[in-house]
Amino acid sequence: MTHPFLDLPPLSAAHFAAIEDGVARLLDTRQDVLVMQGEALLPLEGAIRSAAGPGTTALNVITGPYGQTFGNWLRDCGATVIDLSVPFHTAVSAAQVREAFAAHPEIDFVSLVHAEAATGNTNPVAEIGAVVREHGALFYLDAVASVGAEPVLPDAWGVDLCVIGAQKAMGGPAGVSAVSVSERAWARMAANPHAPRRSYLSLLDWKERWLDGGRAALPHAPAQLEMLALQACLERIEADGPQAVMRRHRTAALATRAGAVALGGGLEPYVYEEADAAPVATTLRVPSGVVASELVAGALAGDGTLPLATGGGALAAEMIRVNHYGVDATVGAVQASLAALGAGLAERGRTVDLEGARRAVESAWR
């Protein structure tokens, strides 16, 4: 028997390279772009282990759980790590990064998450990048959640290692990711004797076996279905227009915040300031006496397609995530999510205004 997904001709090197070129267009970058055959944790970890090691002094910005993970990887590499932590309901500022450089001028590596889907905040990368450039440090950015929902511009912002994934705002699969790499980053990796080699984490292996050979022969069999799905995501974004796709995500975020406030019942935005809130997902704080995970479980029991989740770890008790990204960046998804949460709050004796929430969402969407 045959199957349309399983009996495809092999993906050629030229086809693979064309998909990489599509990622480069999305990021408006002239840097080298590698599409990695795995979830975004692969290039996120590979880039840190390739560029950092003993002798590296890293400023690791923590605005959510991924920043904490990056600090652990940096320490595993033997780097000296200076953590800059801010409350998860806010964003880091360029002024705070500048103060860290003033206190530690030896910093030569900066790691930052653009948008933390887990906590719902987003950081001002352009302003931070300007500070990093002034001090000559290598700039590593996790843009997995932000790409497609807001601008991601490695060249304009001075980002040396920019990692993206397809599974959130791009509306694609989790099993493929990409990283753009500057010439400075390649030089740092080449000079790092601890950079992974002959390893699935090795960016240098890809450079030597793929990029340096003119992208003429793939170093191993590609994840064909994921690559084709990534291509479809890129084509859909290009067809709709990146600005339109980003506007849809920003509108979904604004509508969710407005609707939650109008709904009442003690539900409120987790990220205090609208300017600090990520377009990719909106986090909400539940009122005292209500357990977020129970509220979400009840909503999903009624409609398992709702883009709702609870915060990770300890945040599961107090935080709800409305994941209005990709195909769920719609007024319908936002309306349905808030209606289900409102019904759950009403069942718990909270006074809610479902009609007010509906009107607030529609007003924000205009």
Side-chain angles (χ1 to χ4, degrees), residues 44-315:
L44 285 170
E45 182 174 359
I48 280 182
R49 295 193 182 278
S50 294
T56 299
T57 300
L59 175 65
N60 180 52
V61 181
I62 301 176
T63 59
Y66 278 99
Q68 295 170 326
T69 297
F70 300 158
N72 292 336
W73 287 340
L74 287 161
R75 290 181 176 90
D76 287 346
C77 292
T80 299
V81 180
I82 299 156
D83 287 326
L84 171 55
S85 300
V86 301
F88 289 178
H89 62 258
T90 187
V92 72
S93 69
Q96 289 172 301
V97 173
R98 190 181 299 279
E99 290 168 3
F101 272 107
H104 302 278
E106 69 276 17
I107 291 169
D108 61 1
F109 186 99
V110 175
S111 52
L112 175 70
V113 178
H114 188 182
E116 286 269 12
T119 51
N121 55 29
T122 191
N123 293 301
V125 182
E127 291 86 349
I128 292 169
V131 176
V132 176
R133 281 198 304 274
E134 288 176 16
H135 293 83
L138 207 70
F139 193 10
Y140 162 100
L141 183 69
D142 171 356
V144 174
S146 56
V147 66
E150 54 188 306
V152 177
L153 302 168
D155 293 11
W157 297 344
V159 178
D160 296 288
L161 292 159
C162 182
V163 177
I164 68 166
Q167 70 266 35
K168 288 190 168 62
M170 290 183 69
V176 67
S177 50
V179 56
S180 65
V181 187
S182 72
E183 288 299 325
R184 292 195 330 137
W186 284 129
R188 181 76 67 94
M189 293 180 208
N192 180 11
H194 301 278
R197 302 304 300 266
R198 296 167 297 282
S199 164
Y200 204 58
L201 289 172
S202 176
L203 300 188
L204 287 172
D205 287 357
W206 271 94
K207 181 180 187 302
E208 293 176 0
R209 299 178 60 191
W210 172 241
L211 297 177
D212 291 351
R215 300 191 298 180
L218 286 162
H220 56 72
Q224 176 151 312
L225 296 181
E226 287 79 4
M227 290 295 295
L228 294 175
L230 174 59
Q231 180 182 12
C233 291
L234 294 166
E235 290 174 347
R236 183 166 59 185
I237 291 171
E238 288 187 350
D240 291 347
Q243 294 302 320
V245 174
M246 289 186 283
R247 185 166 55 251
R248 197 157 58 231
H249 283 84
R250 170 55 67 187
T251 303
L254 294 174
T256 303
R257 288 178 70 88
V261 171
L263 179 66
L267 202 65
E268 60 184 25
Y270 184 84
V271 177
Y272 294 171
E273 299 295 332
E274 184 180 292
D276 295 339
V280 68
T282 298
T283 47
L284 303 171
R285 192 187 304 272
V286 298
S288 176
V290 175
V291 179
S293 58
E294 295 175 359
L295 190 61
V296 169
L300 292 176
D303 183 354
T305 68
L306 294 173
L308 294 174
T310 55
L315 294 175

Side-chain angles (χ1 to χ4, degrees), residues 316-331:
E318 63 175 324
M319 179 197 284
I320 292 172
R321 288 169 46 191
V322 184
N323 294 319
H324 45 66
Y325 53 70
V327 297
D328 289 317
T330 65
V331 64

